[in-house]
Amino acid sequence: MLHTMSTTVEPVSERSAAEVNEEIRALWLRSGGTLTTEQREEYQRLVMEWAAAAPHSDRAA
């Protein structure tokens, strides 16, 4: 079985981690604490965007 690695590059977030975090907070506020399937997909996308935008520490935790 042959496995290949994806060669597509994920786009770098153009927004800061703080901006994405605000959108995540707004999503939870609008949802009343329970996400629909569509909101859950948006949340997952936002978390990935936030992680890409968050500053990385030089030290391992």
Side-chain angles (χ1 to χ4, degrees):
M1 180 178 245
L2 180 63
H3 296 278
T4 60
M5 287 181 55
S6 173
T7 57
T8 59
V9 177
E10 291 295 319
V12 175
S13 176
E14 295 181 14
R15 301 188 293 171
S16 71
E19 290 172 309
V20 179
N21 190 41
E22 282 300 314
E23 190 170 340
I24 292 170
R25 289 175 184 268
L27 173 63
W28 277 107
L29 187 61
R30 285 191 314 270
S31 74
T34 304
L35 299 176
T36 65
T37 301
E38 294 82 18
Q39 289 170 324
R40 196 173 305 239
E41 290 171 1
E42 180 181 1
Y43 173 75
Q44 290 174 344
R45 180 189 58 77
L46 288 168
V47 168
M48 295 299 290
E49 183 180 350
W50 174 85
H56 300 283
S57 173
D58 290 335
R59 297 181 303 204

